[in-house]
C-alpha cells in the first residue's frame, strides 16, 4: 500500500483525489472515490446553485462514511454563496481555484474544514501557503479544463520546495500508476486526476462527451479561450481551457478580437452544438492524459488499479 503524510492528514488510504470538475464531479463520484480509499471531491460550481450542491453533498454522505470535499471555481461570483453551504454541510475539505483564497481560509478553519488551493504558478503557491492553505494542488498545463502554461513535472518540484512542509498534490497529465509514481518521486504527496475520472461510470456529464474523451489521443487537445470569451465566463485570462480540437476552434483561432461583434450568434451556435452532441462545435474539456485511457470503468476500480500499478 502506498501511503504519504497526506493520507494521514485526510484520513484516507490512497493518495488519489478526483478533480472537483464543475457540475460533473457529483456526490456519487466523490463517494465512489472515497469508498475506494481515495479522497472524493464534488464540483461545487454549478448552474443550479446551492440546492444542487447541498443535494450532492448529502448523496455522497448517504453512500460513504469516509471523508470527501467540495471544490469551487473561486473566480466565479457565486462562490461567496456556495462556500458557506459546504461549511454548513460539514465536508472535510474545500478546494479553491483561480482566485486569491485568503478570504475563504479563516471561515473554513473555524469550522474545522481543511483548505486546498489549486495553483498554476510558483507565485500563486507561495500566496496560498501564506494564506494558510492546508494542501496545495500544483496544476500543470497538461490538465483538462482550465490550467496554466507551466508543465506539471517542472512546476511540481518547485512548488514542493517553496511551500514545505505543506503537502503538495500533483495535477495535470496523470492518469495511471506511472504518473502517480513520478509525482511522488518529485515530492508530491498525492495526485489529483480529472480526465481519468471523466471516464468513470459515476461521472455526471453526458455520455457523448465521455466517449469523445475515450476516443482521443494525446495529440487531440488544445488550450483556448474561445468558449470562455463567447460565454463571458470569469476565468483569469492566463488560464485557458484545454479541450478537444475541433473545426469550430480552428475556424475562430486568431480571431478572438471579433467575438464581441458575433457573441450572440456564437452563443447560439455553441448551444445548438451541445444540444445535438456535435463534436465539431462543442467544447469538450480533456487533458493530455486522455491518450492513456482505454476504457470507462467504475471509479473505485480506477483508484484500485492505479494503486496496483
Amino acid at each position: 500500500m502506498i501511503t504519504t503524510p497526506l493520507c494521514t492528514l485526510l484520513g484516507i488510504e490512497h493518495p488519489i483525489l478526483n478533480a472537483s470538475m464543475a457540475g460533473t464531479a457529483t456526490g456519487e463520484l466523490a463517494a465512489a472515490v472515497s469508498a475506494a480509499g481515495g479522497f472524493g471531491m464534488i464540483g461545487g460550481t454549478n448552474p443550479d446553485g446551492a440546492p444542487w450542491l447541498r443535494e450532492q453533498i448529502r448523496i455522497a454522505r448517504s453512500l460513504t462514511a469516509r471523508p470527501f470535499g467540495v471544490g469551487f471555481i473561486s473566480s466565479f461570483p457565486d462562490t461567496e454563496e456556495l462556500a458557506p453551504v459546504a461549511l454548513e454541510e460539514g465536508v472535510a475539505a474545500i478546494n479553491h481555484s483561480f482566485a486569491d483564497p485568503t478570504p475563504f481560509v479563516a471561515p473554513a478553519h473555524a469550522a474545522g474544514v481543511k483548505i486546498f488551493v489549486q495553483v498554476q504558478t510558483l507565485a500563486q503557491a507561495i500566496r496560498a501557503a501564506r494564506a494558510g492553505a492546508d494542501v496545495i494542488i500544483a496544476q500543470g498545463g497538461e490538465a483538462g479544463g482550465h490550467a496554466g502554461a507551466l508543465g506539471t513535472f517542472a512546476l511540481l518540484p518547485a512548488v514542493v520546495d517553496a511551500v514545505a512542509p505543506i503537502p503538495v498534490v500533483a495535477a495535470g497529465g496523470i492518469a495511471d500508476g506511472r504518473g502517480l509514481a513520478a509525482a511522488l518521486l518529485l515530492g508530491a504527496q498525492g495526485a489529483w486526476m480529472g480526465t481519468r475520472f471523466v471516464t468513470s461510470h459515476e461521472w455526471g456529464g453526458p455520455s457523448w462527451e465521455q466517449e469523445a474523451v475515450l476516443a482521443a489521443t494525446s495529440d487531440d487537445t488544445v488550450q483556448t479561450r474561445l468558449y470562455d470569451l463567447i460565454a463571458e465566463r470569469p476565468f483569469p485570462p492566463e488560464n485557458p481551457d484545454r479541450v478537444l480540437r475541433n473545426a469550430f476552434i480552428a475556424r475562430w483561432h486568431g480571431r478572438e478580437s471579433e467575438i464581441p461583434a458575433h457573441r450572440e450568434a456564437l452563443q447560439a451556435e455553441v448551444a445548438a452544438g451541445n444540444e445535438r452532441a456535435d463534436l465539431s462545435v462543442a467544447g469538450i474539456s480533456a487533458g493530455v492524459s486522455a491518450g492513456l485511457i482505454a476504457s470507462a470503468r467504475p471509479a473505485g476500480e480506477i483508484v484500485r488499479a492505479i494503486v496496483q500499478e
Side-chain angles (χ1 to χ4, degrees):
M1 181 182 297
I2 299 170
T3 60
T4 70
L6 178 76
C7 298
T8 302
L9 178 70
L10 300 181
I12 59 177
E13 297 173 20
H14 309 307
I16 295 171
L17 304 84
N18 71 278
S20 49
M21 299 166 283
T24 61
T26 60
E28 184 181 3
L29 173 58
V33 172
S34 290
F39 193 86
M41 294 291 295
I42 295 169
T45 302
N46 74 93
D48 298 317
W52 182 90
L53 175 57
R54 201 178 296 277
E55 177 187 26
Q56 296 306 312
I57 293 171
R58 293 179 179 181
I59 287 171
R61 187 160 287 124
S62 73
L63 295 173
T64 183
R66 297 192 177 191
F68 61 89
V70 171
F72 296 108
I73 302 170
S74 307
S75 59
F76 280 41
D78 60 358
T79 305
E80 291 187 7
E81 172 194 355
L82 295 173
V85 173
L87 296 181
E88 291 165 13
E89 293 293 326
V91 301
I94 293 177
N95 180 65
H96 289 286
S97 304
F98 308 114
D100 182 359
T102 305
F104 301 103
V105 174
H109 285 169
V113 175
K114 293 179 176 61
I115 285 287
F116 301 169
V117 181
Q118 182 173 280
V119 304
Q120 295 81 35
T121 68
L122 184 61
Q124 290 172 0
I126 294 170
R127 180 182 68 180
R130 290 174 177 166
D134 299 291
V135 176
I136 292 176
I137 316 293
Q139 183 201 38
E142 298 94 328
H146 293 82
L150 303 178
T152 301
F153 289 149
L155 175 63
L156 172 61
V159 171
V160 168
D161 290 347
V163 305
I166 298 172
V168 177
V169 172
I174 301 171
D176 57 20
R178 295 173 296 179
L180 174 58
L184 296 176
L185 184 64
L186 289 173
Q189 294 191 23
W192 172 277
M193 305 182 195
T195 304
R196 173 66 272 200
F197 287 103
V198 166
T199 59
S200 68
H201 290 179
E202 295 86 353
W203 184 65
S207 59
W208 59 273
E209 288 194 19
Q210 185 181 75
E211 290 164 4
V213 173
L214 283 168
T217 75
S218 295
D219 293 341
D220 292 336
T221 70
V222 63
Q223 284 189 312
T224 180
R225 294 193 64 221
L226 177 60
Y227 296 100
D228 290 341
L229 292 171
I230 290 171
E232 297 184 282
R233 298 185 296 203
F235 283 97
E238 62 270 22
N239 298 125
D241 192 7
R242 185 172 291 281
V243 298
L244 296 181
R245 298 177 186 273
N246 62 31
F248 183 72
I249 296 170
R251 174 156 52 98
W252 281 94
H253 178 69
R255 298 172 57 197
E256 289 80 4
S257 63
E258 301 175 37
I259 288 173
H262 302 278
R263 183 171 282 121
E264 188 173 335
L266 290 170
Q267 288 175 346
E269 184 176 356
V270 172
N274 288 331
E275 182 66 26
R276 64 176 184 269
D278 186 346
L279 301 183
S280 70
V281 175
I284 301 175
S285 293
V288 176
S289 65
L292 304 176
I293 304 168
S295 63
R297 303 172 70 176
E301 283 189 13
I302 292 171
V303 172
R304 289 186 289 271
I306 291 169
V307 172
Q308 182 62 39
E309 289 166 359

